[in-house]
Amino acid sequence: MPRMLVSYDPSWPARFEEIAAELRAHGEPSWLIEHIGSTAVPGMRAKPIIDLAVRIEGAEEFERHRPALEEIGWRRGSSVQSHPVMVFEEDGIRTRIAHFFPASDWDTVNQRILRDWLLAHPADADRYTHAKCDAVAAAARGTSTYNAAKAPVIQDLVDRARAARGLPSVPVADR
């Protein structure tokens, strides 16, 4: 069962800044790092996990800095196939996820596009919040996984956000 959704915590942006500074200190100081995911949308219910998008030049840069990040507790830990992902756990609970995107893909990253859309469209942010609550309930009943239950709404929102930028629809599932 997924971690429960909690009310928006106004400390999340500051926590993001701390984590981004840590990544730069142990990775590349010039990395562009953005807050993504539900904790980046003020007022949105979310699992209390800070998601970050890190712009890298390519896989070689990620691999060069990976050992230093692992030394401080980050580890590879995702079934995502399109880009490297590292997670950080505290007392066995995932508290942060860093997605490393190549600079060549940066402007078309669905996580960034969705975040921007939700920030600009409060009704869609509310729709997504409801979909996440429904997904938690479906997972608790055993009728669906959390991610599968919210996927149709995410796909619709990302499709609309990409279309508004003149980008084609792409599948949001990356497993």
Side-chain angles (χ1 to χ4, degrees):
M1 175 144 168
R3 287 178 68 187
M4 299 304 297
L5 301 176
V6 299
S7 296
Y8 179 79
D9 184 336
S11 72
W12 287 338
R15 185 71 183 124
F16 156 76
E17 293 293 344
E18 293 168 3
I19 298 166
E22 174 187 82
L23 287 170
R24 287 186 192 103
H26 295 277
E28 175 58 48
S30 65
W31 276 342
L32 174 60
I33 303 175
E34 294 183 359
H35 192 178
I36 57 172
S38 298
T39 61
V41 181
M44 181 171 280
R45 293 182 59 78
K47 292 186 285 181
I49 302 171
I50 304 296
D51 287 281
L52 305 97
V54 183
R55 189 177 72 184
I56 56 174
E57 289 307 311
E60 314 77 37
E61 181 179 10
F62 170 76
E63 289 301 332
R64 187 170 60 251
H65 294 290
R66 180 179 169 181
L69 296 173
E70 288 174 339
E71 283 181 24
I72 62 167
W74 288 89
R75 64 173 175 78
R76 289 292 297 258
S78 173
S79 60
V80 171
Q81 301 296 312
S82 62
H83 60 275
V85 176
M86 295 190 86
V87 299
F88 194 98
E89 293 182 351
E90 297 175 47
D91 299 321
I93 297 171
R94 187 176 290 189
T95 59
R96 12 185 158 149
I97 304 172
H99 297 259
F100 294 83
F101 297 106
S104 59
D105 296 341
W106 189 252
D107 291 335
T108 59
V109 167
N110 285 334
Q111 292 88 335
R112 295 180 66 241
I113 291 170
L114 178 60
R115 178 220 38 219
D116 292 349
W117 183 265
L118 295 175
L119 289 169
H121 298 88
D124 282 337
D126 187 55
R127 178 179 172 218
Y128 182 46
T129 296
H130 288 290
K132 292 192 311 173
C133 292
D134 291 346
V136 168
R141 289 190 307 271
T143 58
S144 180
T145 67
Y146 175 73
N147 286 334
K150 66 181 185 163
V153 171
I154 293 172
Q155 185 70 60
D156 179 62
L157 294 172
V158 169
D159 284 349
R160 291 176 32 226
R162 289 179 65 87
R165 292 181 180 207
L167 298 170
S169 172
V170 295
V172 295
D174 186 10
R175 302 271 188 256

